[in-house]
Amino acid sequence: MLTWLQRRLGLQTIPGVFFTSAGVAALFVALAIPFDTAVAESFGQLTGWVAHHLGWFYILAVSALLIFLLGLAVSRYGNIRLGADDSRPDYSNLTWFTMLFAAGIGTILMFWGVAEPISHFAHPPFDGVTAESERAASDAMTLALYHFGLHTWTIFAMPGLAIGYFAYRHHLPMRISSLFYPILGERAFGPWGWAVDVVAVLGTLFGVATSLGLGTLQLNSGLSYLFGAPTNALVQISLIVVITSIAATSVALGLDKGVRRLSQINIVLAMALLGFVLLVGPTVFIAEGMVQSVGDYLSALPWLAFWTETYRETEWQRQWTLFYWAWTISWAPYVGIFIARISRGRTIREFVGGVLFAPTAFTLVWFGVFGLSAIEAEMSGQLSLAVQVQQDPSVAIFAFLEGLPLSGVAAALSVAIIVIFFTTSSDSASLVIDMLTRRDDQPSLVRQRIFWAAAQGGIAASLLLAGGLDALQNVITSLGLPFCILLLFMAIALLRALRADYRGFSVDELVRGRVYPDVEGTAEAKQAKQETGDVSEATARH
């Protein structure tokens, strides 16, 4: 039935993955718009249950994966390359680090660079800490780095490392289902594998839609600041339509002409804004604060990584840490594939060290410049940011820029950066989703990529109508759980494969003599060939 529907529509897909993912997304939009209150309440209850019963699982899983990756890097497996033993990296270290920044972190930093430190500074989550005190400022920076430092990049690095290893060293398709070949065997290329890819597609859809929703709220605040535009649902839906249209145009142009050029432009603009704030802001205070923040973060990390609010029972961790981990996990398939594509030829030690520590260092600089500047302005009485951020975190960066010279120019630059960041996130995610929903030997059709860009916009609009920021947080916290479980199974599959690799055995022996199917030998390819009378057996790959 699905194969017939694919032919009628002229698509190039894996029908089970494409139509299941598209159907779930369409069903959500169809229910969320007319029944927005009911949908918001349902996900609110589900999120409450997940946070209460499984919040500890999120905390433990991400911290365990960080320990696992660091252990791999220093272990005997650290010298194994993502590719043949004689392969070398495709990009220089500097180019590679720059491309890691473009993997999507900019969308998060623009929204929370001011909002999170100020929020924790004004409302400390720890008992006995006085609001807006020196201790509150230190804790605010530590928590911001905890949320956007090593743990965030652990979630991205785990699928990136596994995808790169299996794709470049064992020539498997660059899909999430391929990572489970050591566990599932050839079932990874049938319904079991398709189910894994559906989870990855839905996670990416809702994760990017959440980012698009947050970006829309922030853009609405920016336009209100610059031009007095009203802040309401109509303006926000209009912004989503505009951003989705730009993303669809970019994704239609393809990776080189669309995504790459927009990414390059945005990195230059973001660095210009960063440099501007550093120069006109409290430069010495920023430098001193960054040095101290490194020590505070490293000293607090061992206990903070396993802190679960056991004795407090507040909503703080649900609203902050659990939301961040679930949000990041939902991005993991998309960012993981992106990182894998630029990391061929690197050793596991180089990969883990670069992916974990280089973006974390940039995060320190970003929060040091924006977060510390905002805290200093609040402490000195120059600005009153805490009340504004408490009411609406999307206004944070614009309220902060208002206290700097050339505030109008800086705010306009911020609006442009936000638009491009969220556009590149949407079009890059559309390319990755298209890759996850079709075979490697099938062409990438423009209309399929545009469909996924439109789906992200539709979900984002539905979430905003269903309750704004609270709905975004509730939906993503609930839906991040399945892929969090998949991340742990990824680690198990990767470790099994590395053990066989190190001992000189092929990973095929882990699945009792089965061979790696090449792209033409997967279950879906065989089915397609049977329909044309051209059937061939899989070729062994070692």
Side-chain angles (χ1 to χ4, degrees):
M1 176 64 182
L2 294 181
T3 301
W4 174 85
L5 181 60
Q6 174 180 259
R7 287 176 177 172
R8 294 287 296 178
L9 296 176
L11 302 177
Q12 294 287 338
T13 69
I14 302 170
V17 179
F18 180 91
F19 288 109
T20 302
S21 303
V24 171
L27 180 63
F28 177 85
V29 173
L31 293 175
I33 293 177
F35 306 108
D36 54 342
T37 302
V39 169
E41 291 177 352
S42 298
F43 276 101
Q45 293 173 359
L46 179 58
T47 299
W49 187 91
V50 170
H52 180 73
H53 292 90
L54 295 172
W56 62 269
F57 176 74
Y58 272 117
I59 303 297
L60 178 61
V62 178
S63 294
L65 289 173
L66 173 58
I67 295 171
F68 171 76
L69 289 174
L70 293 175
L72 280 186
V74 300
S75 73
R76 60 188 181 182
Y77 309 125
N79 290 325
I80 294 178
R81 292 191 177 275
L82 306 184
D85 290 334
D86 59 351
S87 62
R88 291 297 179 266
D90 292 339
Y91 303 99
S92 67
N93 288 337
L94 180 60
T95 301
W96 186 53
F97 293 154
T98 303
M99 295 173 78
L100 287 175
F101 169 72
I105 191 173
T107 59
I108 303 172
L109 297 184
M110 283 298 294
F111 192 94
W112 297 110
V114 172
E116 174 155 7
I118 286 294
S119 295
H120 303 328
F121 177 60
H123 304 279
F126 303 124
D127 293 332
V129 179
T130 303
E132 300 191 13
S133 63
E134 179 182 343
R135 174 63 187 276
S138 174
D139 288 346
M141 291 300 297
T142 298
L143 287 167
L145 293 178
Y146 168 53
H147 287 149
F148 297 106
L150 293 175
H151 279 71
T152 283
W153 285 92
T154 290
I155 296 170
F156 292 152
M158 185 67 250
L161 177 61
I163 291 168
Y165 174 79
F166 285 109
Y168 297 133
R169 195 165 181 88
H170 297 290
H171 312 291
L172 288 173
M174 195 171 278
R175 296 202 300 270
I176 302 300
S177 56
S178 298
L179 311 186
F180 295 89
Y181 183 76
I183 297 176
L184 298 176
E186 287 198 30
R187 288 175 296 175
F189 304 99
W192 282 97
W194 299 341
V196 170
D197 286 331
V198 167
V199 172
V201 170
L202 292 176
T204 302
L205 272 177
F206 281 88
V208 175
T210 298
S211 297
L212 185 57
L214 290 174
T216 299
L217 294 175
Q218 194 174 33
L219 279 176
N220 198 172
S221 297
L223 294 176
S224 177
Y225 170 80
L226 288 172
F227 308 111
T231 303
N232 55 42
L234 178 60
V235 174
Q236 291 161 8
I237 299 303
S238 299
L239 288 172
I240 288 178
V241 172
V242 171
I243 293 175
T244 301
S245 299
I246 297 173
T249 302
S250 175
V251 82
L253 293 174
L255 185 62
D256 288 334
K257 293 182 179 179
V259 178
R260 181 173 61 86
R261 290 179 182 175
L262 282 177
S263 298
Q264 291 171 342
I265 292 171
N266 217 32
I267 289 173
V268 173
L269 295 179
M271 296 304 294
L273 181 63
L274 183 73
F276 169 75
V277 175
L278 176 62
L279 290 175
V280 303
T283 307
V284 175
F285 180 83
I286 291 171
E288 292 176 341
M290 283 196 290
V291 173
Q292 181 171 316
S293 295
V294 172
D296 291 340
Y297 171 58
L298 293 178
S299 65
L301 187 60
W303 69 265
L304 195 58
F306 297 96
W307 178 55
T308 59
E309 276 198 309
T310 304
Y311 308 109
R312 298 183 74 241
E313 295 294 334
T314 71
E315 290 292 303
W316 186 91
Q317 202 160 56
R318 167 185 168 178
Q319 295 171 350
W320 291 96
T321 307
L322 298 185
F323 166 62
Y324 283 146
W325 285 183
W327 186 16
T328 309
I329 286 168
S330 70
W331 277 64
Y334 150 51
V335 180
I337 288 176
F338 176 86
I339 294 174
R341 292 187 67 179
I342 64 174
S343 301
R344 179 167 52 188
R346 296 195 175 273
T347 65
I348 290 177
R349 186 170 295 118
E350 291 172 339
F351 180 94
V352 172
V355 174
L356 290 186
F357 292 101
T360 298
F362 183 83
T363 299
L364 169 67
V365 174
W366 188 274
F367 275 103
V369 171
F370 286 92
L372 287 170
S373 296
I375 288 174
E376 195 275 339
E378 183 76 20
M379 293 177 70
S380 66
Q382 179 184 356
L383 294 173
S384 181
L385 297 172
V387 175
Q388 297 181 70
V389 171
Q390 179 68 19
Q391 293 175 345
D392 184 3
S394 66
V395 308
I397 192 168
F398 302 105
F400 163 69
L401 293 174
E402 193 172 355
L404 300 179
L406 301 174
S407 59
V409 176
L413 179 61
S414 297
V415 168
I417 292 171
I418 294 165
V419 170
I420 302 177
F421 262 139
F422 286 96
T423 299
T424 54
S425 297
S426 178
D427 56 21
S428 299
S430 299
L431 290 170
V432 170
I433 293 173
D434 181 56
M435 183 187 305
L436 291 172
T437 57
R438 62 179 172 83
R439 301 195 313 266
D440 287 3
D441 60 335
Q442 292 176 319
S444 175
L445 301 182
V446 172
R447 58 180 175 274
Q448 291 175 192
R449 302 199 299 267
I450 292 177
F451 169 79
W452 292 120
Q456 294 161 32
I459 293 172
S462 302
L463 290 173
L464 288 180
L465 291 174
L469 182 58
D470 288 341
L472 294 170
Q473 291 180 321
N474 288 337
V475 169
I476 208 63
T477 302
S478 303
L479 297 182
L481 183 62
F483 201 78
C484 184
I485 297 171
L486 290 183
L487 285 177
L488 297 177
F489 279 101
M490 272 183 214
I492 295 171
L494 178 62
L495 184 60
R496 293 188 68 191
L498 288 173
R499 284 176 174 172
D501 196 340
Y502 183 82
R503 294 171 183 171
F505 297 101
S506 69
V507 182
D508 303 329
E509 296 179 72
L510 292 178
V511 287
R512 295 184 293 276
R514 292 192 176 103
V515 297
Y516 276 119
D518 62 10
V519 174
E520 297 292 328
T522 60
E524 60 264 28
K526 288 181 180 179
Q527 180 181 354
K529 287 188 176 183
Q530 286 173 349
E531 295 168 357
T532 61
D534 180 15
V535 182
S536 61
E537 293 297 319
T539 303
R541 293 195 176 194
H542 300 280

